[in-house]
Amino acid sequence: MKKIDYKHIFIVFTTVLLSVILTIYAFVDFNNSFQDYEVKDMQKRLKNAASNNAQQVMQQIKIRINALDNLAKLLSEENLNNNQISTLLNLLRESTTYENIIYSAMDGKAIDANNNTYNIADNEYFKRAKTEKLIISKIIKLSEYPYNDVQIISMPVNRNGNIIGVVLGIVSVHQLTSEIATQYTDSNYIQIIDSTGNYISLTNQDSNAKIHKNIWEEFQEYEFIENNVYQISSDILNYRSGYLEFSYNNKSSISYYTPLGIENWYIFSTTYKKNIDDYISIITNYVYKLFALILISFLLELFLFLYLNKRSNKALVKAHQETRKNEELLEIAIAESNNIYFEYNQNEKTIVFKGKLPYFQNEDILYNVPNSMLDKNVLNENSWEDCQNLFEEIKENPSVSKNMKFIIDKKEYWYKVTLKNLYTKNNEIINTIGLMQNIDEQYQQKLALEEKAHIQEKLIANALMTCKINLKQQIVEDIDGVNLDNPMKYSEYLKKYILDKIVDNDHKAIFSNISLSYLQKEYNAGKDMIETTFKMKFNGEAIWVSCIYYILSKENQENLYAMMILSDINEQKCKELQLTQLAERDGLTGLLNAETMKKKVNDHLLSTQSLDNFNILILLDLDNFKAVNDTFGHLYGDNVLKDVANVLSKNFRSEDFVARLGGDEFVVMLIGVNNLTDVESVYQELVKDLNIIYTKDNKTVKISASLGIAIAPIHGNTFNELYEKADLMLYEIKRNSKCGYKVYDLI
């Protein structure tokens, strides 16, 4: 009879007992940890809700500020009557969330988007708005307008450095409330308070808010579990965020508060703790049931394990030997490669890296695969589904590969990830090996080619004309998608379809950019797309076009083709030219502005240094212009400046530069003067034409012009050098006689 192994029985019994004790402890610890986790998770969600709503409110305020800023700039550039201003205000109101928008001149005369007029000269807020760049008010009540409990955003309107008025945007508290997220249940709500604790808005019909108008009054009825009134008050005074837990009417709640970023306002995000307690109770019941099932299952598995242990030992030893052979082969492959290799345990969902570690991993083992890869933020969200499918499909397939986009130092790269199962002779999986290969360069090239083909198709679909060119034979084989039976020489095609139709451009310069030699040169330099723009006649109309050449190379270099696509860009180009012109012009007179004048003069002087002729800078200042403004007003003065601009435009050639530097100061550059004596009559005629008398309401003011003159290259070769000397002469004229001119050094 076989002797009973009491030692073995004792070990088994002890192991079972310890396992039961540890399982009980684990479930109790889980229950406690789960409660702590749920509370912290709820605090985190409350924090996110408050922060998201705060960001949403601040985003809306930025949108409103930008809208007012654009309105202020438009009003500063245009002289509009009340009806035009009201229409402009109404258009802005309809495109924003303002309840109303008001424009007021500096004397307090105001008009709103409804064409109502007011006088707000004595309003304290208006007085402040006239002196500050931007004001965002607290929640206030306005007696001048039919609004209560509103916020006002104001911004001054500047013209030539002077404030000429103020624009005011009015936002109701109702609108502010509607901008708070509304995805809350009866047990979750949002509160916003001002710097004194008064409620501004709520996201639900909170009963406390109906009773109390101030949060500090409401706090008096709370029984605080975590935090207290003094700490909360200190946090708010110091712009800090925090949590509080309290009980009110036998209900426990958790709340998170944080600054909103407006006038010391705070936002509170609150939920009832009963939701957490109910959820934890449900989970606890499931845990106990699970514990019982696990205990029973454990005992059954233990006895089954003892029974099968002897039978499986031999099979395990054999499988281990086969696995070791595979591992040795894998280690050899790893040593000879720069790729990343790993082993994947499908049951434990772990990856063990062999040799080189990936950029996102500091340890050999990666747990909870594939979820941990997403938690580490190493995958582009569009590759997450492929990653999940990869680890699911390997369960049923010998090998699986997926192309996925990984994030490295905030940049994204394509990798090919391959999983392969290793089997025993009984077709059982004993191991899964994996390989990560960087295929970013190849994949990006593929995407670039696809994108290029898509762009070409789109351009061809909207093209005015296309042609396919054989660069080696210098012939056109295809026009507008139709193959030519008799190919045309490329030079003939250019002359017939392009060069003869070019307008207002240098034919020679354009031809050099679309010649075969230029295309070949650019292609040899690594470019496969060459573009030039010019103006040409098409269907009897002069339009701007884009001429793009795509080089289509073949494996055999002798078969090199180019696809030419001619597209209509007239609308876009005209807008660009219009914007460029607006940026270069003075807003009042339409002449060049100071910055543009300085650049044009310097560029011209630099490009003409080798020529023998002269360039003359005339600095002009009006005499007695202040009397015009003092007698007739600034609007009348603006019209006088426009008259002066018209005189200058008529007296000088189109190639000369004419600009207003600011105020009543103008400057002219005479281009390419051959004889200095001949221009004396130009100075005299200009002084004569600007000797003008203005009369209004039986009042008369006479203006004239004083000129200071410097000559390039005699007196300088830059704008600043010429301006300095012309200014000295201008001062000399103004000090002595006015209404005259003086040339530097030629006295």
Side-chain angles (χ1 to χ4, degrees):
M1 183 175 179
K2 187 176 180 181
K3 185 178 179 180
I4 299 175
D5 189 353
Y6 290 101
K7 183 178 180 180
H8 179 73
I9 294 175
F10 175 78
I11 293 173
V12 173
F13 176 81
T14 304
T15 302
V16 172
L17 181 61
L18 289 175
S19 299
V20 172
I21 293 172
L22 290 174
T23 303
I24 294 173
Y25 173 79
F27 277 101
V28 173
D29 182 66
F30 168 80
N31 189 56
N32 295 332
S33 300
F34 184 77
Q35 292 185 45
D36 293 338
Y37 171 81
E38 280 301 307
V39 171
K40 291 180 181 179
D41 183 65
M42 179 56 70
Q43 290 178 340
K44 182 178 178 181
R45 281 181 280 167
L46 290 173
K47 179 180 178 180
N48 290 338
S51 299
N52 290 339
N53 280 283
Q55 292 176 6
Q56 183 176 349
V57 171
M58 288 306 299
Q59 181 64 27
Q60 289 297 325
I61 288 177
K62 289 180 181 179
I63 291 173
R64 296 186 186 110
I65 290 173
N66 289 337
L68 277 192
D69 184 47
N70 292 332
L71 175 63
K73 290 178 181 177
L74 186 58
L75 290 172
S76 68
E77 296 173 354
E78 303 289 342
N79 293 315
L80 307 175
N81 58 40
N82 279 356
N83 287 335
Q84 292 173 324
I85 292 174
S86 178
T87 299
L88 190 60
L89 298 180
N90 185 52
L91 287 173
L92 182 60
R93 178 181 63 179
E94 291 179 352
S95 63
T96 62
T97 56
Y98 283 113
E99 286 286 327
N100 198 4
I101 304 175
I102 298 170
Y103 170 74
S104 174
M106 296 300 289
D107 58 3
K109 293 180 179 180
I111 185 169
D112 67 7
N114 297 319
N115 208 16
N116 297 319
T117 58
Y118 317 88
N119 192 313
I120 60 174
D122 297 329
N123 183 281
E124 292 300 324
Y125 185 85
F126 172 70
K127 293 178 181 179
R128 180 185 170 195
K130 292 194 298 182
T131 62
E132 298 187 28
K133 184 175 180 181
L134 170 67
I135 303 175
I136 302 175
S137 78
K138 300 179 179 179
I139 297 299
I140 60 176
K141 295 181 182 293
L142 299 179
S143 58
E144 293 89 345
Y145 316 110
Y147 301 94
N148 286 318
D149 293 330
V150 299
Q151 182 189 62
I152 300 179
I153 302 175
S154 63
M155 184 174 294
V157 179
N158 288 277
R159 179 178 291 166
N160 299 328
N162 299 316
I163 298 177
I164 64 171
V166 177
V167 288
L168 304 97
I170 299 176
V171 187
S172 69
V173 168
H174 173 74
Q175 176 61 31
L176 291 175
T177 300
S178 68
E179 291 170 357
I180 304 299
T182 59
Q183 302 300 317
Y184 296 92
T185 65
D186 294 336
S187 58
N188 297 273
Y189 55 92
I190 288 288
Q191 300 164 301
I192 296 180
I193 64 169
D194 63 16
S195 58
T196 61
N198 293 326
Y199 285 118
I200 295 172
S201 65
L202 304 161
T203 57
N204 77 332
Q205 302 298 320
D206 181 45
S207 58
N208 293 349
K210 290 183 176 180
I211 299 172
H212 303 288
K213 300 298 183 182
N214 187 284
I215 200 168
W216 303 114
E217 297 175 3
E218 184 178 327
F219 280 171
Q220 300 302 316
E221 301 180 15
Y222 285 0
E223 179 182 348
F224 285 91
I225 301 171
E226 181 180 345
N227 214 330
N228 55 66
V229 173
Y230 305 104
Q231 181 61 46
I232 297 170
S233 176
S234 174
D235 287 344
I236 291 178
L237 287 174
N238 292 282
Y239 307 103
R240 294 193 296 258
S241 303
Y243 295 95
L244 66 145
E245 185 175 346
F246 60 91
S247 177
Y248 180 76
N249 288 340
N250 297 320
K251 291 182 179 180
S252 294
S253 300
I254 301 175
S255 184
Y256 175 79
Y257 55 91
T258 189
L260 189 58
I262 310 172
E263 295 294 334
N264 299 335
W265 293 2
Y266 259 74
I267 183 169
F268 283 73
S269 179
T270 306
T271 186
Y272 294 129
K273 194 178 178 185
K274 183 177 182 300
N275 300 328
I276 302 176
D277 295 335
D278 292 342
Y279 181 64
I280 292 174
S281 177
I282 294 171
I283 296 299
T284 301
N285 291 332
Y286 279 117
V287 167
Y288 289 143
K289 292 179 181 178
L290 182 61
F291 167 72
L293 292 173
I294 289 176
L295 182 58
I296 295 171
S297 176
F298 175 80
L299 294 174
L300 292 174
E301 289 177 358
L302 176 62
F303 289 112
L304 182 61
F305 170 77
L306 294 174
Y307 171 75
L308 297 176
N309 183 53
K310 289 184 178 180
R311 293 185 57 185
S312 61
N313 278 341
K314 290 183 179 180
L316 287 174
V317 170
K318 186 177 181 180
H320 175 73
Q321 292 174 346
E322 292 182 1
T323 301
R324 185 55 192 158
K325 290 179 181 178
N326 291 329
E327 287 179 347
E328 291 175 354
L329 292 174
L330 182 60
E331 289 172 359
I332 294 173
I334 291 173
E336 300 297 326
S337 173
N338 291 323
N339 295 321
I340 298 171
Y341 293 86
F342 57 88
E343 291 182 359
Y344 171 55
N345 188 313
Q346 298 188 30
N347 295 322
E348 297 178 2
K349 296 186 176 180
T350 59
I351 284 179
V352 178
F353 293 98
K354 300 293 184 179
K356 188 168 103 175
L357 295 177
Y359 62 92
F360 57 82
Q361 188 69 12
N362 297 322
E363 300 177 352
D364 291 343
I365 302 178
L366 179 63
Y367 298 95
N368 193 24
V369 177
N371 293 341
S372 58
M373 300 179 72
L374 183 63
D375 295 338
K376 287 175 173 288
N377 195 29
V378 299
L379 272 178
N380 177 285
E381 60 181 10
N382 294 327
S383 294
W384 173 232
E385 184 176 352
D386 286 335
C387 183
Q388 287 181 310
N389 292 337
L390 177 73
F391 288 96
E392 283 296 321
E393 292 173 11
I394 194 61
K395 297 177 182 179
E396 306 294 335
N397 297 281
S399 64
V400 183
S401 293
K402 300 286 183 184
N403 294 334
M404 293 183 283
K405 189 180 288 186
F406 285 78
I407 302 171
I408 305 176
D409 294 331
K410 298 182 179 180
K411 295 183 179 180
E412 296 182 339
Y413 299 87
W414 283 99
Y415 276 79
K416 181 180 181 181
V417 182
T418 302
L419 293 178
K420 181 177 180 60
N421 288 324
L422 301 179
Y423 297 91
T424 66
K425 291 182 178 180
N426 297 326
N427 204 31
E428 296 177 352
I429 297 176
I430 58 172
N431 198 6
T432 302
I433 60 173
L435 171 66
M436 287 181 60
Q437 297 172 284
N438 188 328
I439 60 167
D440 188 71
E441 184 176 353
Q442 305 95 298
Y443 207 86
Q444 293 294 351
Q445 289 176 354
K446 176 185 175 184
L447 293 178
L449 289 174
E450 291 175 353
E451 178 67 16
K452 180 179 176 181
H454 176 71
I455 293 173
Q456 290 180 6
E457 290 175 1
K458 188 173 181 181
L459 287 173
I460 291 174
N462 299 304
L464 297 176
M465 63 176 69
T466 63
C467 74
K468 185 177 180 182
I469 308 156
N470 186 317
L471 297 181
K472 180 173 180 58
Q473 299 184 25
Q474 301 184 13
I475 59 174
V476 175
E477 298 181 352
D478 176 299
I479 297 179
D480 295 335
V482 178
N483 288 323
L484 302 180
D485 294 333
N486 298 310
M488 176 185 296
K489 289 185 178 180
Y490 178 66
S491 57
E492 295 177 359
Y493 177 87
L494 286 183
K495 185 176 187 313
K496 180 178 179 180
Y497 291 100
I498 296 180
L499 295 177
D500 286 350
K501 299 181 180 181
I502 293 176
V503 296
D504 301 332
N505 279 288
D506 185 347
H507 287 64
K508 184 176 181 181
I510 293 173
F511 177 74
S512 66
N513 289 335
I514 58 178
S515 65
L516 290 178
S517 59
Y518 179 77
L519 297 179
Q520 186 70 56
K521 175 185 174 183
E522 291 295 285
Y523 177 72
N524 292 337
K527 296 181 181 180
D528 59 2
M529 195 271 287
I530 301 100
E531 180 179 15
T532 186
T533 60
F534 48 85
K535 204 169 187 179
M536 66 177 290
K537 287 185 179 180
F538 191 84
N539 292 335
E541 180 182 2
I543 61 171
W544 283 96
V545 296
S546 166
C547 187
I548 301 178
Y549 289 83
Y550 288 98
I551 309 299
L552 311 173
S553 61
K554 305 291 184 181
E555 293 183 1
N556 184 351
Q557 181 64 25
E558 294 189 2
N559 293 325
L560 190 63
Y561 290 85
M563 174 63 74
M564 187 212 76
I565 303 173
L566 196 73
S567 303
D568 182 354
I569 60 166
N570 192 60
E571 182 177 354
Q572 172 189 345
K573 187 70 174 181
C574 289
K575 287 181 179 179
E576 291 176 1
L577 294 174
Q578 185 179 14
L579 290 174
T580 301
Q581 185 177 16
L582 288 174
E584 294 178 348
R585 296 290 169 174
D586 172 59
L588 178 64
T589 63
L591 301 178
L592 296 175
N593 57 35
E595 182 179 353
T596 304
M597 183 65 173
K598 183 176 180 179
K599 183 179 185 306
K600 283 183 172 291
V601 169
N602 284 331
D603 290 346
H604 178 75
L605 293 177
L606 182 64
S607 65
T608 58
Q609 285 183 354
S610 61
L611 302 181
D612 295 333
N613 53 21
F614 303 98
N615 297 288
I616 302 175
L617 188 136
I618 304 172
L619 186 62
L620 182 154
D621 190 86
L622 297 180
D623 306 321
N624 206 32
F625 180 70
K626 185 176 182 299
V628 174
N629 285 333
D630 294 343
T631 305
F632 303 134
H634 288 280
L635 290 178
Y636 195 93
D638 288 346
N639 290 327
V640 171
L641 294 176
K642 292 178 182 179
D643 290 344
V644 172
N646 290 333
V647 171
L648 294 176
S649 297
K650 292 178 181 178
N651 280 39
F652 295 98
R653 303 164 299 174
S654 60
E655 61 264 31
D656 298 327
F657 304 152
V658 183
R660 177 186 174 217
L661 299 183
D664 60 344
E665 187 178 33
F666 297 81
V667 66
V668 178
M669 169 67 80
L670 284 172
I671 304 299
V673 176
N674 294 317
N675 191 327
L676 296 179
T677 306
D678 293 343
V679 295
E680 289 289 332
S681 60
V682 175
Y683 310 149
Q684 296 167 2
E685 187 69 21
L686 183 59
V687 171
K688 176 183 175 183
D689 290 347
L690 290 176
N691 197 341
I692 307 171
I693 297 175
Y694 289 93
T695 302
K696 180 183 178 184
D697 298 333
N698 296 323
K699 296 178 182 179
T700 300
V701 175
K702 179 181 179 181
I703 67 166
S704 57
S706 297
L707 313 181
I709 301 166
I711 303 170
I714 300 173
H715 304 137
N717 283 304
T718 68
F719 178 88
N720 288 340
E721 291 173 351
L722 298 175
Y723 179 89
E724 180 181 353
K725 295 176 176 60
D727 190 50
L728 290 174
M729 296 299 95
L730 177 64
Y731 176 77
E732 189 72 18
I733 288 291
K734 297 283 275 189
R735 185 181 63 180
N736 294 331
S737 60
K738 298 184 179 180
C739 191
Y741 68 90
K742 180 168 286 190
V743 181
Y744 186 79
D745 278 350
L746 300 179
I747 305 174

